[in-house]
Amino acid sequence: MNWLKLSALVGALVWAAPPAHAADYPVRPIKLIVPYAAGGPTDVLGRMVGEYLSRDLKQAVVVENKAGAQGAIGAEAAARSEPDGYTLFFTAASIFVLNPLLYKKLPYDPTRDFRLLALVTDLPVVMEIHPSVPARTVAEFVAYARQNPGKLNFGSAGTGGTIHLAGEMFKQMAGVDMVHVAYKGAGPALTDLLSGNIQLMFDTLGTALPPVKGGLLRALAVSSAQRIADLPDVPTMAESGYPGFVSRSWTGLLAPARTPREAIDKLNTQINEGLKTPELKAALARLSNEPLGGTPQAFSDVIKGDIAKWAPIVKALGLQAP
């Protein structure tokens, strides 16, 4: 799908839904589809959010894991569900931003098959290096990389993912020549970084934090707008001279298209109220996630902004999923 068309059509996700028939929604349990395996980071977040929705809505929220195909299996199942407010979809950013850019054909239409409810969390990216690299700032790293073109390797959880594209965006912005090494998951990439087989990784905060705080890796910058409480001495990418570098891994809650407006409005209200509670904020902080919330329109704006940011990079690299 042409990325400009995709970006323009994202607004369809917030079109008005038909009026609801029941004024006392919900009256029975709600199913929450998570498109990844149980126990993974997205699943943990989804279950946490489901627990708070269950408490606030006074109805059980049952998580159903439908993993596979980079989240497409779960997305298709949610898209084909009855649009009655009793099936929700907990998504990661890649399913609505990167999948449409990488795959020629998807079993779901991200612009027409869903209604956006609200963004839920945001997980910043950390630029981390092996201690063997003689750099303590981003500027020092760039200078070193320019002195050693093609000799530094950066790892990722796989070609075309957020971590990979963050590295490619940095290469473009900093004007450095580094080699991408794709792994089958963030775990193996981190293992090779710890051993010094690769020198750099743009990793999500939750994964990066333990080795950085343990002194096994050196964090040079974070992609968030402000410094992170867990790493108060690590500057932001903006502070490091790259204000245009924005890379984050968000999660959000959606419903099938044509879900009644009453359900959408009530769920949006409950999500936003829940994300303000000290209990949920503390639980998310333990996972290094920042609560977001907001309106469906704000959610749409984030998706469109991410598409506009990543599409030129995907095109320049000639990336295409099989």
Side-chain angles (χ1 to χ4, degrees):
M1 177 181 292
N2 180 277
W3 76 269
L4 287 172
K5 181 180 178 182
L6 174 63
S7 180
L9 286 175
V10 168
L13 291 162
V14 293
W15 282 349
H21 298 291
D24 50 356
Y25 168 86
V27 296
R28 55 186 172 87
I30 295 171
K31 178 170 67 176
L32 178 60
I33 295 178
V34 174
Y36 299 104
T42 305
D43 174 68
V44 171
L45 288 170
R47 290 178 185 276
M48 188 180 296
V49 171
E51 179 182 339
Y52 278 84
L53 282 177
S54 176
R55 183 195 67 183
D56 293 343
L57 295 172
K58 296 180 174 55
Q59 286 291 340
V61 176
V62 181
V63 172
E64 182 176 305
N65 296 93
K66 286 189 174 293
Q70 303 297 322
I73 291 176
E76 181 183 16
R80 304 292 177 259
S81 297
E82 187 70 24
D84 55 8
Y86 292 94
T87 297
L88 305 179
F89 184 53
F90 192 77
T91 187
S94 60
I95 296 175
F96 278 79
V97 176
L98 298 181
N99 280 5
L101 297 175
L102 294 168
Y103 290 85
K104 286 187 174 181
K105 187 176 181 180
L106 289 169
Y108 63 96
D109 187 330
T111 65
R112 293 191 177 92
D113 287 345
F114 296 92
R115 291 288 179 262
L116 303 177
L117 297 176
L119 288 164
V120 178
T121 65
D122 185 19
L123 189 60
V125 168
V126 179
M127 180 181 180
E128 57 186 359
I129 61 172
H130 188 266
S132 63
V133 178
R136 295 192 172 275
T137 66
V138 174
E140 290 179 0
F141 178 86
V142 170
Y144 182 76
R146 288 176 179 171
Q147 292 167 3
N148 297 273
K151 295 181 180 179
L152 296 178
N153 300 316
F154 72 98
S156 79
T159 299
T162 301
I163 294 174
H164 170 211
L165 295 183
E168 297 291 352
M169 180 166 61
F170 180 75
K171 284 176 58 178
Q172 290 186 7
M173 295 179 69
V176 295
D177 178 14
M178 303 186 301
V179 179
H180 172 233
V181 181
Y183 293 83
K184 294 182 178 180
L190 183 61
T191 297
D192 261 12
L193 179 61
L194 288 166
S195 66
N197 290 331
I198 58 175
Q199 292 74 45
L200 170 69
M201 190 170 171
F202 287 86
D203 202 1
T204 52
L205 178 62
T207 308
L209 202 55
V212 167
K213 297 192 77 170
L216 300 175
L217 297 174
R218 185 181 303 136
L220 299 185
V222 294
S223 68
S224 50
Q226 291 84 34
R227 294 196 182 195
I228 295 169
D230 287 319
L231 299 172
D233 297 326
V234 179
T236 66
M237 290 296 292
E239 290 176 308
S240 302
Y242 298 91
F245 186 98
V246 179
S247 180
R248 60 186 191 175
S249 181
W250 50 259
T251 61
L253 201 63
L254 303 93
R258 299 182 302 282
T259 294
R261 175 184 286 277
E262 180 201 52
I264 291 174
D265 291 345
K266 186 165 188 177
L267 288 164
N268 175 267
T269 297
Q270 295 302 324
I271 294 164
N272 280 289
E273 289 182 355
L275 290 172
K276 294 176 183 177
T277 62
E279 297 87 355
L280 185 52
K281 290 174 70 175
L284 292 173
R286 287 193 291 271
L287 298 175
S288 303
N289 276 261
E290 175 188 350
L292 290 178
T295 64
Q297 184 59 56
F299 195 169
S300 175
D301 291 343
V302 167
I303 294 176
K304 287 188 286 188
D306 281 356
I307 291 170
K309 174 179 64 183
W310 293 125
I313 296 176
V314 170
K315 183 178 180 180
L317 294 172
L319 298 179
Q320 184 175 315

